[in-house]
Amino acid sequence: MEALHEEMPFDLAFHPSSPLVATSLITGELYLFRYAAESQPERLFAAKSHKESCRAVRFVESGNGSADCSILASDVETGKPIARLEDAHENGINRLVCLTETTVASGDDEGCIKVWDTRERSCCNTFHCHEDYISDMTYVSDSNQILATSGDGTLSVSNLRRNKVKSQSEFSEDELLSVVVMKNGKKVVCGTPSGALLLYSWGFFKDCSDRFLGHAQSVDTMLKLDEETLISGASDGVIRLVGILPNRIIQPLAEHSEYPIEALAFSNDRNYLGSISHDKMLKLWDLQDLLNRQQLVQDDKLGEQDSDDSDDDGMDVDMDPNSTKGSRSTKTSKGQSSDRPTSDFFADL
């Protein structure tokens, strides 16, 4: 399933209970689509929410944010503004993440993170932890902390209870573009422009503990599939299934286009994987179908290997007893280049 936008989308978000998906555009518009199996997404409305580009969108109790430094609440049914926080940040808002039922966090172009109470429409935490734009954030509910990556090449951990930056990594050689927590909270994985995945051990954030060089190009977005596996979206337009510890590209799942992938998201029931790209297209993939096809490819490879290793022709081959049998090496192919019902959503420009 796919839907073409008039301009390039920056972000997408699925409704937590209904078959709806929202996208935010470079023009400052918000699109809302209804989707269903065996049909193309139906666009319900397009609303001009911000004067500048809308870089992120999330479904929450109320509110959305923008590059014009404002946070806007819009009604899902009509797209009409409900409330706006002018000058929510001193700089353009680049990322938005839902924390609890009543709080969201926003990150701006100068590395500032703010936490907002959506009921009071007020700021309750502020963290000045980075020197460049906030590229991604994720919330760790068990410890009530926000992990953030930045264009300055660092990873930060901010404690919401104490309202302080608990830890920050040393500067890496690359910008850090995306972040997920894996291995039951023991590992933090960050994507970079070089295609390397940096792995940090929880509690030891000063330097990465491992570096995985499996992608040919920039890893701009990632989703955690399970504790061992993530889905990556890269600037070559390929969506990949990636194993963590052991680190490996398990299989390319799909090719969105030849253009960079901006964002990935799961539907609330995890039946669909959504992707947007510079090709202006929203695509909804049947997640189970992608994973089943991946398993068939893996089974075929194993079958070919078993066939190559067997002596089906019944021929007796004289071999030098002092010789060693050659080993087969398999190379990984690389491509080129709020969990509850709501009637409002956040978008950030």
Side-chain angles (χ1 to χ4, degrees), residues 26 49 57 65 87 91 98 116 142-143 153 155 160 183 187 226 230 237 274 293 323 336:
I26 192 173
S49 297
V57 58
D87 302 320
N91 301 279
C98 297
W116 302 89
D142 292 344
S143 56
L155 167 71
L160 297 180
K183 295 289 183 176
K187 293 291 181 179
D226 55 43
L230 62 83
R293 281 190 285 168
S323 67
Q336 302 301 317

Side-chain angles (χ1 to χ4, degrees), residues 62 69 71 85-89 93 96-97 99-100 102-107 113-126 346:
S62 59
C69 306
I71 293 178
L85 292 175
E86 298 289 354
D87 302 320
H89 282 251
I93 301 169
L96 191 73
V97 62
L99 307 181
T100 67
T102 58
T103 56
V104 297
S106 54
I113 297 171
K114 292 188 177 184
V115 178
W116 302 89
D117 186 320
T118 59
R119 297 165 301 181
E120 301 294 331
R121 297 173 185 170
S122 62
C123 179
C124 45
N125 300 86
T126 301
F346 259 99

Side-chain angles (χ1 to χ4, degrees), residues 17 27 42 48 58 61 141 149 203 229 254 256 269 272 276:
S17 59
T27 57
E42 174 193 3
K48 179 70 173 180
R58 293 292 181 269
E61 180 72 13
S141 58
T149 52
T229 318
H256 182 110
D269 54 12
Y272 295 100
I276 54 172

